[in-house]
Amino acid sequence: MGWFQAAGVRAWMFALLMALTAAPAAAERPADIRLEGELGRQHHETYVELPFAVPPGTGRLTVVFRHDGAGDRTTIDLGLRDPDRFRGWSGGARDRFTVAETDATPAYLPGPLPAGTWNLVLGVPNLRPGVTTTYAAEIWLDPQNAPFAGLAEAPLAQGPAWWRGDLHAHSGHSDGTCRSRGGARIPCPLFRVVETAAERGLDFIALTEHNAASQAQGLRELQPYFDDLLLIPGRELTTFQGHANLFGLTTPLEFRLGAPGAVDLDRVLDQAASLGATISVNHPRMPSGEACMGCGWQAQTDWSKVHAVEVLNGGAMAAFGGRAESPLSGVGFWEALLDEGHRLTAIGGSDSHDPDRPAGEAGALGRPATVIHAASLSQSDLMSGLRAGRAFIDLGHPGLKRLDLEATTAGRTALMGGALDAPDGALIAFRVLIDGAPGARVEVVEPGGARALLPVQAGEQIEQTFTRRSDGQRGWLRINLRDEGGGLLAIGNPIYLNWPAAP
């Protein structure tokens, strides 16, 4: 093979490598900037700067770098300069990195991205005589208001499956505390919270600090190590009128409802939605007072802008000795909204403020847990599953792997979270599917508080059927699991009957 042919094959293989290893977060669109060129022996032990323009309003910058000289022992280090300062140096340790206002790949500094000329800095500690190395850098620029794709570069596991996690937890980035090695009570570092979640077998955890975004940087550093636990940055929007969790959000957000010149709730929810956040109202029945300031939900709310309601909260359960069914339960609040025609997913969260709390106690990490059916263990798929109502709340039965409901009429079928049209008089066949809750009893729940227990069925895997005759009106039906003594084990989400199509 002649030199020209070899060079052509080499270039083709290099292009293929770039295509296969592009940053997953950016793979949805071509790179905004591509820098490419060649380095020779004259660049040995030198620094090369590759300028590129960053426009105003840029909020996140992602770089993926490749070269074809590894076989010749070529070494190229990476660094970054903005128009004002040096932003980081990862050397040869990484071939990709991200820089944003709230978070950056370790070795790089988070902070605002000033408009102007930036430079990708290449250090060349080794390039042999007679060797030419081809390189290419692809750069994605996301605007400040772009939704956040997640910390993991790819799904941590592929589904579809039921994924168990905690959607409400705090660290020392707000008011979470734990014991230091010497036994002192301290603001709890992120790694202790994440480590405990992993030890308890969770698949995901959302760190929802009070009005704070600072945890995003620490989570970015921890995610590669915890490659079996998806870390979701979030925010507990904490106001005098109520609290709400905003999942998948890193951008700082105004929270001072009612302050002079500040925003109202509608504007906050609109901004959060534009940033891709999934929105849940927290512990709506908690009293607001000195013990829990602003905790009960009192805000005038456009419920079309909300995706979920935290109907079970670990802190509220702990206040009643671990009981789920108490005056602080949000189940009645949620069901009243369903009866009014609002389509909202019920979720739970521990509201953990101390990862040292024993696992069996209400309010400990993972109790209660939310179990979401999703196509993969990724932020986008989990949030899609949550919004679609493909979720159930587990109060402390880690062996419960599945709780699902199916409804069929006239050849049409809907699963839990879905909608089914059934004209007046139509017979609807329901099927309950449970895995991992031996001895549990199935309770059918319908509008107006109607409840009925199905006959007991033994076994780890349970499949039960029952029917209802449609009245042609808008309604819903869901299931709970109860133990032999009537205690609540799990809460399922509804199937919506004769409901308008979901927005």
Side-chain angles (χ1 to χ4, degrees), residues 99-311:
V99 175
E101 182 173 5
T102 56
D103 58 282
T105 301
Y108 294 87
L109 297 173
L113 277 58
T117 300
W118 290 52
N119 280 272
L120 181 64
V121 184
L122 310 183
V124 190
N126 188 61
L127 209 161
R128 292 174 173 174
V131 170
T132 298
T133 295
T134 300
Y135 68 81
E138 292 186 314
I139 303 172
W140 287 262
L141 304 174
D142 293 306
Q144 290 172 341
N145 60 353
F148 179 65
L151 296 165
E153 293 182 348
L156 300 192
Q158 295 290 347
W162 291 94
W163 308 102
R164 174 181 296 271
D166 196 332
L167 287 169
H168 193 164
H170 297 274
S171 75
H173 284 266
S174 55
D175 54 351
T177 65
C178 58
R179 296 289 181 185
S180 69
R181 288 169 60 86
R185 177 65 61 180
I186 61 165
C188 198
L190 273 174
F191 86 88
R192 281 288 295 117
V193 180
V194 174
E195 182 179 60
T196 301
E199 290 170 352
R200 294 184 181 171
L202 299 181
D203 298 310
F204 63 90
I205 182 171
L207 273 297
T208 51
E209 310 294 0
H210 295 286
N211 297 327
S214 56
Q215 72 272 25
Q217 175 63 16
L219 293 175
R220 180 169 288 284
E221 184 170 355
L222 292 171
Q223 183 65 89
Y225 178 77
F226 289 94
D227 55 2
D228 57 350
L229 175 66
L230 187 71
L231 309 181
I232 302 174
R235 191 85 38 80
E236 184 165 14
L237 179 71
T238 306
T239 80
F240 303 144
Q241 302 172 35
H243 299 186
N245 272 344
L246 313 175
F247 303 117
L249 188 70
T250 61
T251 303
L253 203 65
E254 180 59 80
F255 62 89
R256 298 169 299 155
L257 304 186
V263 296
D264 61 18
L265 181 63
D266 278 343
R267 184 174 172 187
V268 174
L269 297 184
D270 285 342
Q271 185 180 358
S274 72
L275 293 167
T278 298
I279 301 165
S280 169
V281 165
N282 291 349
H283 41 69
R285 284 280 174 84
M286 288 283 282
S288 297
E290 292 183 356
C292 191
M293 291 174 285
C295 282
W297 191 257
Q298 304 173 50
Q300 293 295 317
T301 310
D302 179 350
W303 290 103
S304 68
K305 299 179 180 182
V306 176
H307 305 108
V309 176
E310 184 189 71
V311 304

Side-chain angles (χ1 to χ4, degrees), residues 74 87 247 251 263 267 285 379 402 457 493:
T74 298
R87 293 298 288 262
F247 303 117
T251 303
V263 296
R267 184 174 172 187
R285 284 280 174 84
Q379 179 175 296
R402 180 186 189 188
Q457 190 177 89
N493 271 287

Side-chain angles (χ1 to χ4, degrees), residues 18-87:
M18 282 294 298
L20 293 175
T21 56
E28 298 176 359
R29 69 175 200 270
D32 298 297
I33 298 169
R34 183 178 175 90
L35 308 172
E36 53 189 356
E38 291 185 343
L39 300 173
R41 178 62 179 179
Q42 69 273 23
H43 298 107
H44 175 71
E45 295 186 348
T46 67
Y47 296 95
V48 177
E49 298 205 357
L50 307 177
F52 61 95
V54 172
T58 300
R60 185 173 298 273
L61 179 155
T62 300
V63 175
V64 174
F65 183 84
R66 287 288 185 269
H67 67 85
D68 64 356
D72 295 316
R73 302 294 298 274
T74 298
T75 303
I76 301 177
D77 297 335
L78 290 181
L80 185 68
R81 275 198 309 112
D82 71 20
D84 305 317
R85 60 175 177 155
F86 204 72
R87 293 298 288 262

Side-chain angles (χ1 to χ4, degrees), residues 326-343:
S326 78
L328 302 186
S329 165
V331 172
F333 179 93
W334 167 60
E335 289 183 341
L337 290 170
L338 296 179
D339 288 344
E340 292 174 10
H342 304 294
R343 192 166 173 170

